[in-house]
Amino acid sequence: MGSAALSRPVVHRKIRALLLALILGVLSAATALVAPPAAHAAESTLGAAAAQSGRYFGAAIASGRLGDSAYTTIANREFNSVTAENEMKIDATEPQRGQFNFTAADRVYNWAVQNGKQVRGHTLAWHSQQPGWMQSLSGSDLRQAMINHINGVMGHYKGKIAQWDVVNEAFADGSSGARRDSNLQRTGNDWIEVAFRTARAADPAAKLCYNDYNVENWTWAKTQAMYNMVKDFKQRGVPIDCVGFQAHFNSGSPYDSNFRTTLQNFAALGVDVAITELDIQGASPTTYAAVTNDCLAVARCLGITVWGVRDSDSWRPEHTPLLFNSDGSKKPAYTAVLNALNGGSTTPPGDSGQIKGVGSGRCLDVPNASTADGTQVQLWDCHSGTNQQWALTAAGELRVYGNKCLDAGGTADGARVQIYGCWGGDNQKWRLNSDGSITGVQSGRCLDAAGTSNGTRIQLYTCSNGSNQRWTRT
């Protein structure tokens, strides 16, 4: 979590889980044939290996180290996701009330996107690393300051951040299962809900996460308290999309094999999960591989972020907890993780091919083989071109050209369906249903063709079970 987090105590951290085989029995007399999964060649970097299953493998990046060529060489080569280590926290982005400073945050963000990486936002509401002016506030004044801060930071990055850690570390350590006693908690028990509702309004496209540590073990009271909060939020419609497990494993907070159970149980609530700040004291190859396999075993696990690049970059360098030695050389743990990613779950059966409309007999097509973001997809006579080859990832994306995703440009009836650079948003996640329909995860509406002729544009529309909303894979 960065330098300020060292003071905290250490104690005892789309296709989702849906059908991974595609569409059988679209019509009573028709069957969609499913090809066997294609074998993947072993990838040589962590990010590329993780991407085989639609996941990311990222790292916390510090702006002050971006001038270190050894650091940036490893970071650029190995990782496909970036979290700013401290630069997007409250004290960094709003040092004076109402006066935002994104210089350091933008340096990390710009380096990431210029090198083709997605960005996780960390963090918007937290009891720690508050600037002095915020520490002096209380009650309704502090509540309003929190709201204004979320709006200011998310407004600056609107549409650019894949996931935000909206609230960080709100539960107490130990066996009480209580909320942490913080100035934010003292504004009222609904402060977390208010933060998430504010965040959704500020950037509807961002995935909103709750993030905490020592919540990996399913039996711990802190884990159960977080689970009950997420369950309550989902039942009441509070906009929470994902839960981050920091996974700072050490002798006082060791890895337990029930971590996979924890991930599975949270995913079953209807949220994504992510391993957000992984480091392991001593960098045990066995434990690193186990954590990686835990993520691979859960369809809704978005990916893994390690908290630093080399041991010398770690917030706990004395623990030697990362995948690279201080001199930049790879540890045995690196090889263990890479092997796990290369041998882990891959894109599901029938992972690549054409998507043909049942009513039209024509295929989902990118006009003129365009690669431009915002190009609305259409129906067109089926052919073997790459602009009709759609790969289904374990994250629920439908990818074309390898790096462009089928993207919903809105959530209402008639919203355009287009291609856009893949970034992990729910507007780029799809559920392929046994009746042949394809529904948007964010909207719940169906992929719809308003006609049958060449050039018919594809849109979202309320599901009706019509043949213009049913599709087969070829």
Side-chain angles (χ1 to χ4, degrees), residues 44-329:
S44 61
T45 65
L46 300 171
Q52 294 175 114
S53 63
R55 294 172 174 85
Y56 60 81
F57 202 98
I61 297 296
S63 63
R65 291 188 170 93
L66 290 177
D68 179 342
S69 61
Y71 177 89
T72 55
T73 296
I74 297 170
N76 189 30
R77 180 187 72 220
E78 295 291 341
F79 305 112
N80 57 357
S81 175
V82 162
T83 302
E85 186 170 355
N86 287 293
E87 292 79 358
M88 292 187 185
K89 292 175 181 173
I90 309 168
D91 56 352
T93 52
E94 195 177 0
Q96 302 297 324
R97 188 171 189 177
Q99 298 179 18
F100 291 88
N101 185 336
F102 297 104
T103 302
D106 283 350
R107 188 179 185 204
V108 174
Y109 174 84
N110 290 335
W111 180 86
V113 297
Q114 287 164 7
N115 288 286
K117 306 175 193 312
Q118 72 170 33
V119 180
R120 294 190 75 257
H122 175 81
T123 181
L124 296 168
W126 188 27
H127 69 276
S128 187
Q129 287 185 246
Q130 294 179 3
W133 66 264
M134 182 175 279
Q135 295 175 38
S136 69
L137 301 181
S138 61
S140 60
D141 198 17
L142 175 59
R143 175 69 64 87
Q144 190 58 52
M146 177 192 76
I147 292 170
N148 292 345
H149 179 79
I150 292 170
N151 284 327
V153 176
M154 293 191 77
H156 180 76
Y157 291 108
K158 186 173 183 179
K160 299 178 179 180
I161 299 289
Q163 307 166 36
W164 269 109
D165 290 334
V166 178
V167 173
N168 198 46
E169 300 176 1
F171 286 92
D173 294 313
S175 60
S176 69
R179 292 279 186 87
R180 180 188 296 275
D181 180 24
S182 69
N183 60 348
L184 291 168
Q185 179 64 28
R186 291 191 292 273
T187 69
N189 201 54
D190 65 337
W191 75 273
I192 301 176
E193 176 176 344
V194 170
F196 274 89
R197 292 192 185 280
T198 302
R200 175 66 88 224
D203 187 354
K207 193 180 292 292
L208 308 181
C209 307
Y210 175 82
N211 191 55
D212 217 325
Y213 68 99
N214 284 352
V215 287
E216 295 78 21
N217 190 313
W218 179 244
T219 68
W220 289 351
K222 189 174 181 181
T223 308
Q224 293 299 310
M226 184 173 76
Y227 177 85
N228 289 332
M229 180 192 73
V230 175
K231 182 178 181 181
D232 171 62
F233 279 9
K234 293 299 291 184
Q235 289 173 342
R236 294 192 295 111
V238 179
I240 184 169
D241 304 311
C242 51
V243 176
F245 298 83
Q246 292 182 17
H248 295 296
F249 294 118
N250 54 68
S251 57
S253 180
Y255 169 80
D256 188 284
S257 60
N258 71 21
F259 182 34
R260 185 176 301 187
T261 299
T262 303
L263 295 176
Q264 290 168 333
N265 287 343
F266 275 86
L269 292 177
V271 293
D272 293 327
V273 294
I275 298 169
T276 55
E277 304 182 21
L278 177 64
D279 51 25
I280 299 172
Q281 183 175 359
S284 160
T286 301
T287 306
Y288 258 111
V291 173
T292 303
N293 283 319
D294 289 341
C295 178
L296 291 170
V298 179
R300 295 196 73 148
C301 185
L302 300 170
I304 298 171
T305 299
V306 288
W307 206 245
V309 178
R310 306 161 299 189
D311 283 340
S312 55
D313 308 311
S314 170
W315 68 301
R316 287 174 166 167
E318 71 279 7
H319 285 183
T320 60
L322 295 174
L323 299 175
F324 295 88
N325 293 304
S326 296
D327 64 3
S329 59

